[in-house]
Amino acid sequence: MLSPILLRLLGVVSLLIVAARDGLDQPRQTAGDGFTLRSWEESFALANATVAQLTLDEKIGLVTGVGQFSSRCVGNVSPVARLGIPGFCLNDGPAGVRPTKGVTGFPPGIAVASTFSRRLMRARGVALGEEFRGKGINMHLGPAMDLMRNPQAGRGWESFGPDPYLNGEAAFETVTGVQSVGVMACAKHFIANNQEHWRYGLIANVDDRTLHEMYYYPFLRSIEANVSAVMCAYNQFNGTSSCHNANLIGPKGLLRTDGFQGFIVSDWGATHDSASDNANAGLDMEQPGDYILIGGGTFAGVLGIGSLESDVGSGAVTLARMNQMVTNILTPWYRLGQDSGYPPVNFNAQESDGSGSLNLNVSVRSDNHTALAREIAGASAVLLKNKPGTLPLKAAAIKSVAIIGLDAIIPNLDCGDLNECDDGTMIIGWGSGSNSLDFTVPPITALNETFAGTGTVVTTSLSNDLTAGPAAAKGKQLAIVLVNAMSGELGFYQSVNGNEGDRNDMEIWFSGSTLVEDVAAVCANTIVVVHSVGPVHMPWTTNPNITAIIYAGAPGEQTGPGLVDVLFGAVNPSGRLPFSIADDESSYNTTIVTDPGFPLGFPVIDYTETLFLDYRYMDAHDITPRYEYGFGLSYTTFAYSGLSIAASGTSQVISFTVKNNGTVAGTEIPQLYLGYPPAAGEPPKVLRGFDEVPLAAGASQVVEMTVDQRGMSVWDTPSQSWVRPKGTFLVYVGASSRDIRLNGSF
Ligand SMILES: *[C@@H]1O[C@H](CO)[C@@H](O)[C@H](O)[C@H]1NC(C)=O
Ligand SMILES: *[C@@H]1O[C@H](CO)[C@@H](O)[C@H](O)[C@H]1NC(C)=O
Ligand SMILES: *[C@@H]1O[C@H](CO)[C@@H](O)[C@H](O)[C@H]1NC(C)=O
Ligand SMILES: *[C@@H]1O[C@H](CO)[C@@H](O)[C@H](O)[C@H]1NC(C)=O
Ligand SMILES: *[C@@H]1O[C@H](CO)[C@@H](O)[C@H](O)[C@H]1NC(C)=O
Ligand SMILES: *[C@@H]1O[C@H](CO)[C@@H](O)[C@H](O)[C@H]1NC(C)=O
Ligand SMILES: *[C@@H]1O[C@H](CO)[C@@H](O)[C@H](O)[C@H]1NC(C)=O
Ligand SMILES: *[C@@H]1O[C@H](CO)[C@@H](O)[C@H](O)[C@H]1NC(C)=O
Ligand SMILES: *[C@@H]1O[C@H](CO)[C@@H](O)[C@H](O)[C@H]1NC(C)=O
């Protein structure tokens, strides 16, 4: 066992990857040949029949990664060429193919969460699937659906925020989209993988009800979307490693009980126990195959000690279990028709610069994908403040503008592994969930293009220099200040700006808040753009010289065009916060545990806050955040009326009218929150519905949301089932978790 201090310095996928560099001319390939979807039953039968033809070596080859330095993809297994089974290619990441070239840098999960648009969640899934398929990848290693338990959690931006319902909907739509083009999706990280510090072994203790209602819920929705695989996490759950935890991954564990029919794959090096421990608990495939210091290599044998082959030989793992492992892996592969006409792998993750004979330089980018990335960038931008008359801007009416901040410029695209830099505009966090930055269009480029030819005098200070920024702004009609904060995956690198994966605090980086305040002190028309992976402290929001604020989040490669669309009104903002923005961590009732505990080991983290994350906690404790969950302004206004609540079988159908009563077209995001009967012990309000309602000025629409029986239930531990509590439920319909426009009950 290595010392935890050493472990914490060691990365996993980070050892694999070299950051991608700028693209070259590459041939095009249209992604997504047709395929025939099979039923689970038929697929199982095909898999079962195939397993009967395999030798033991072939079976072991199909369940064991081939090694991180010999994988053409981030993960591979050995092929069985004589039966037409390829060496499955499993590849990062949840926001686009990496590390390679000719791919789109899609916005990450938190951005699509911020759109509150199932349409865009699904479309992003389809586009991701098309690019993975076009590269010949069998499995997309996403979506991530770990709740943002703490606002500073390093990988929080990879998934969909702190609310389980939004995570569940986004997971469902993403899985459905990816798999609709025949690519397998992988729900991760199972489970309670909610901070980076000590993640390789921390012990998360989550009570049964909290587990079901919060952390497990998005996985349940993934099963309902027919997800092909689930990735077990690095951490321990209830004292047993996730990949060795039969209560989670075994035949009688959570997933299989709920009908999961695909395979369980380990996170890279997340196997901390013996081959038989893991295989017998329910692990079907181990990645990356070799021992990588934090774990791994158990199926192949670590330092020649033990192996799956010897365990099958001795009977420690039965042949029946071995066959089941292979069947679980082949079943979703048959289901998605990958046995016929699937494109072969055409890139090489070992040569992320595109060099070498195995990189065939196939581009899977398309105008559609670029347009979608831009649409999500715009639709995820949250308008937090807009003094009347400020936004949208009219370029020709602006005589002078200062554009200020390091966050305006293109970042170093060659900053080492996994985008572990913040030296320009922030479009996505770092780590295996990041993506290739080849085609980033930074804000300065898009802004310059917009002002070109308008007669506007553009002055810039493209750093966070506290003297140059205000000097550039002084005397200008308008100042646009761009600032950011970033986080990522704990990796091989020590830290980024002193942050080891998780953010150290909620402050904007590089004196960003001081820059904002110093600029606003000299310019009475200061617009602030915040790029961040999660909530940040913005002490200056009430400053009267700050006339507009856009929380632009982590918008992906089309960051500049997406921002310009919103600033200049081509897109009327409809993004909503997928978390609350409070001033400090204590408002969220959780902490990142950085102390390993004594004696030196891995910390035990008890999820004592239970169901009370984010707005669920703040509502219960009368904490007023600066901006609440679900908040976001528009350039128009909406009126709500006519709430009606009707039972339909065991469901409740809630309908109401939304009217655009302003003067420009816009999209409203109505939200439905339920208040349970007090005895149920639920938070005051829980999200149970949302919709995207585009409306022309003056137009109105009836919106209908259905809450099914499970949506009105609590997880009842004694009966191990969803039970609807007796009593009256309150219905809240509104424009955010605190801007409730209609009230009712049933
Ligand atoms: C799987 O195949 C075996 C023979 O290899 C057979 O005995 C078994 O019934 C099959 N199971 C199913 C569910 O088809
Ligand atoms: C985890 O531990 C809690 C507390 O002992 C228990 O209620 C729960 O059933 C356990 N869950 C699993 C999946 O083992
Ligand atoms: C999942 O698969 C089942 C059985 O094939 C099917 O009825 C259902 O529609 C699928 N769900 C989705 C979301 O595709
Ligand atoms: C792909 O591009 C790289 C970088 O220019 C080059 O080294 C490599 O030979 C190209 N591969 C093919 C198959 O053209
Ligand atoms: C791609 O874009 C074109 C033109 O906008 C559209 O007609 C087509 O349906 C799109 N295809 C996909 C797969 O989205
Ligand atoms: C944008 O315009 C400003 C002012 O003309 C100039 O200083 C800056 O270099 C331009 N930046 C880019 C990326 O074009
Ligand atoms: C707002 O800006 C003006 C300069 O236009 C400055 O004189 C004033 O002090 C500023 N107000 C604040 C509150 O910073
Ligand atoms: C969470 O809230 C409870 C009740 O208000 C309090 O006792 C506890 O100390 C808080 N924990 C954290 C980590 O803030
Ligand atoms: C539109 O509706 C909102 C909410 O009911 C209301 O506050 C606002 O005054 C209305 N605006 C107009 C122009 O009627």
Side-chain angles (χ1 to χ4, degrees):
M1 190 75 197
L2 280 140
S3 110
I5 291 199
L6 180 54
L7 292 182
R8 100 193 253 193
L9 294 174
L10 296 168
V12 180
V13 192
S14 57
L15 297 171
L16 273 172
I17 310 304
V18 183
R21 276 188 287 274
D22 225 345
L24 301 146
D25 278 341
Q26 293 162 328
R28 279 265 151 97
Q29 172 170 310
T30 44
D33 307 314
F35 72 98
T36 308
L37 182 69
R38 295 193 181 94
S39 69
W40 281 109
E41 293 71 20
E42 191 189 345
S43 309
F44 176 83
L46 286 169
N48 190 50
T50 298
V51 171
Q53 301 174 53
L54 296 172
T55 66
L56 180 59
D57 279 354
E58 287 168 338
K59 291 172 188 174
I60 287 171
L62 283 168
V63 305
T64 309
V66 299
Q68 62 173 331
F69 295 117
S70 36
S71 284
R72 189 166 173 180
C73 301
V74 165
N76 281 106
V77 295
S78 300
V80 183
R82 67 186 182 88
L83 296 177
I85 304 171
F88 278 28
C89 166
L90 290 67
N91 215 78
D92 290 336
V97 182
R98 60 170 290 284
T100 188
K101 297 186 166 301
V103 295
T104 305
F106 289 99
I110 199 67
V112 80
S114 197
T115 70
F116 280 77
S117 163
R118 290 184 181 81
R119 176 183 63 87
L120 291 173
M121 293 166 182
R122 176 77 65 99
R124 176 176 168 277
V126 172
L128 283 167
E130 287 173 347
E131 297 206 358
F132 278 73
R133 185 180 180 112
K135 288 282 184 183
I137 298 162
N138 300 91
M139 177 174 284
H140 164 65
L141 293 171
M145 53 196 72
D146 308 301
L147 301 194
M148 186 185 270
R149 177 171 177 261
N150 180 282
Q152 295 160 207
R155 299 182 75 177
W157 53 271
E158 291 187 36
S159 38
F160 313 105
D163 183 81
Y165 179 80
L166 184 60
N167 267 274
E169 293 308 292
F172 182 93
E173 296 299 342
T174 307
V175 169
T176 304
V178 167
Q179 297 197 154
S180 74
V181 294
V183 175
M184 294 190 273
C186 177
K188 68 185 193 182
H189 309 82
F190 195 61
I191 199 167
N193 188 164
N194 302 116
Q195 70 166 53
E196 293 309 290
H197 282 82
W198 307 106
R199 67 168 178 165
Y200 298 122
L202 67 79
I203 300 149
N205 289 325
V206 188
D207 70 81
D208 187 54
R209 177 172 172 185
T210 301
L211 180 70
H212 280 83
E213 294 188 26
M214 304 292 285
Y215 300 92
Y216 177 57
Y217 182 75
F219 290 92
L220 181 58
R221 291 292 283 143
S222 301
I223 294 171
E224 290 169 352
N226 293 307
V227 74
S228 296
V230 173
M231 182 189 289
C232 48
Y234 288 116
N235 53 280
Q236 300 188 38
F237 180 83
N238 271 5
T240 305
S241 280
S242 303
C243 296
H244 168 195
N245 193 321
N247 286 343
L248 298 177
I249 63 174
K252 296 197 171 104
L254 278 176
L255 296 170
R256 302 281 178 199
T257 306
D258 281 320
F260 173 61
Q261 297 180 70
F263 67 94
I264 310 280
V265 58
S266 70
D267 203 340
W268 271 228
T271 38
H272 306 302
D273 303 298
S274 72
S276 59
D277 283 343
N278 298 322
N280 289 336
L283 181 72
D284 298 310
M285 180 189 286
E286 185 183 50
Q287 287 290 351
D290 42 6
Y291 175 61
I292 56 171
L293 299 169
I294 56 170
T298 71
F299 284 5
V302 181
L303 307 171
I305 304 161
S307 69
L308 186 57
E309 186 165 17
S310 63
D311 285 345
V312 172
S314 73
V317 173
T318 64
L319 198 53
R321 172 60 193 143
M322 180 77 243
N323 289 344
Q324 187 181 57
M325 291 160 71
V326 181
T327 308
N328 289 342
I329 291 168
L330 292 179
T331 298
W333 180 75
Y334 277 117
R335 180 172 177 272
L336 294 176
Q338 291 194 5
D339 56 314
S340 166
Y342 203 80
V345 178
N346 56 40
F347 71 106
N348 181 14
Q350 302 291 343
E351 308 275 10
S352 62
D353 63 356
S355 65
S357 60
L358 296 179
N359 270 314
L360 305 184
N361 301 342
V362 173
S363 174
V364 291
R365 291 178 63 85
S366 68
D367 292 345
N368 284 12
H369 293 181
T370 305
L372 179 65
R374 178 175 182 162
E375 184 179 0
I376 296 172
S380 61
V382 185
L383 181 64
L384 295 179
K385 179 177 181 180
N386 190 17
K387 189 179 155 199
T390 306
L391 295 179
L393 298 172
K394 289 180 194 66
I398 300 164
K399 300 216 163 20
S400 58
V401 60
I403 301 168
I404 298 162
L406 182 65
D407 183 68
I409 65 169
I410 192 133
N412 176 5
L413 300 177
D414 189 17
C415 77
D417 287 1
L418 298 160
N419 190 20
E420 289 168 303
C421 294
D422 185 9
D423 52 6
T425 197
M426 201 288 295
I427 63 163
I428 191 166
W430 73 82
S432 62
S434 194
N435 55 36
S436 304
L437 301 180
D438 293 11
F439 296 91
T440 303
V441 185
I444 188 63
T445 301
L447 286 165
N448 271 4
E449 276 171 17
T450 308
F451 285 115
T454 60
T456 308
V457 176
V458 178
T459 308
T460 58
S461 171
L462 302 174
S463 73
N464 279 20
D465 188 287
L466 296 175
T467 307
K474 200 169 166 77
K476 302 302 184 308
Q477 186 184 340
L478 172 66
I480 302 175
V481 190
L482 298 101
V483 293
N484 74 39
M486 194 179 186
S487 70
E489 181 175 9
L490 175 66
F492 190 60
Y493 277 53
Q494 53 290 8
S495 65
V496 178
N497 190 28
N499 295 257
E500 291 182 28
D502 306 308
R503 279 186 289 155
N504 296 336
D505 54 43
M506 287 176 56
E507 297 307 318
I508 293 175
W509 284 17
F510 311 123
S511 309
S513 274
T514 310
L515 179 67
V516 166
E517 285 168 338
D518 289 359
V519 169
V522 299
C523 180
N525 187 16
T526 298
I527 295 174
V528 183
V529 177
V530 179
H531 286 124
S532 175
V533 286
V536 279
H537 183 210
M538 297 185 274
W540 32 260
T541 55
T542 57
N543 183 324
N545 280 2
I546 295 175
T547 48
I549 303 169
I550 295 178
Y551 180 88
E557 66 159 55
Q558 294 297 314
T559 179
L563 178 64
V564 160
D565 287 344
V566 169
L567 282 173
F568 293 86
V571 166
N572 188 342
S574 60
R576 300 302 168 96
L577 292 176
F579 40 69
S580 301
I581 298 184
D583 284 359
D584 49 42
E585 191 189 25
S586 67
S587 298
Y588 296 84
N589 205 233
T590 60
T591 52
I592 299 288
V593 178
T594 55
D595 182 350
F598 185 83
L600 204 57
F602 288 107
V604 175
I605 303 182
D606 294 319
Y607 285 35
T608 53
E609 77 287 349
T610 64
L611 312 174
F612 293 80
L613 291 186
D614 199 274
Y615 72 94
R616 294 158 157 253
Y617 174 74
M618 296 179 201
D619 284 352
H621 290 264
D622 287 325
I623 294 167
T624 306
R626 207 170 269 270
Y627 298 106
E628 75 272 13
Y629 187 91
F631 178 81
L633 300 172
S634 166
Y635 297 151
T636 186
T637 51
F638 299 93
Y640 288 65
S641 63
L643 179 67
S644 109
I645 302 167
S648 167
T650 55
S651 300
Q652 292 286 335
V653 180
I654 286 131
S655 58
F656 52 91
T657 300
V658 178
K659 177 173 180 161
N660 179 347
N661 68 349
T663 54
V664 292
T667 297
E668 178 64 331
I669 307 288
Q671 297 154 46
L672 166 68
Y673 296 86
L674 278 192
Y676 276 65
E682 288 286 312
K685 291 190 213 91
V686 294
L687 183 70
R688 285 293 186 267
F690 59 85
D691 208 344
E692 174 194 33
V693 186
L695 290 170
S700 59
Q701 189 183 311
V702 175
V703 179
E704 199 176 276
M705 297 181 184
T706 300
V707 185
D708 64 11
Q709 180 81 354
R710 190 172 69 200
M712 300 175 250
S713 296
V714 300
W715 178 257
D716 181 64
T717 292
S719 68
Q720 288 292 294
S721 64
W722 295 98
V723 173
R724 178 178 165 174
K726 291 194 172 40
T728 302
F729 282 76
L730 302 179
V731 172
Y732 305 99
V733 171
S736 81
S737 62
R738 292 196 168 200
D739 183 5
I740 302 302
R741 307 290 186 84
L742 300 169
N743 287 275
S745 64
F746 60 80

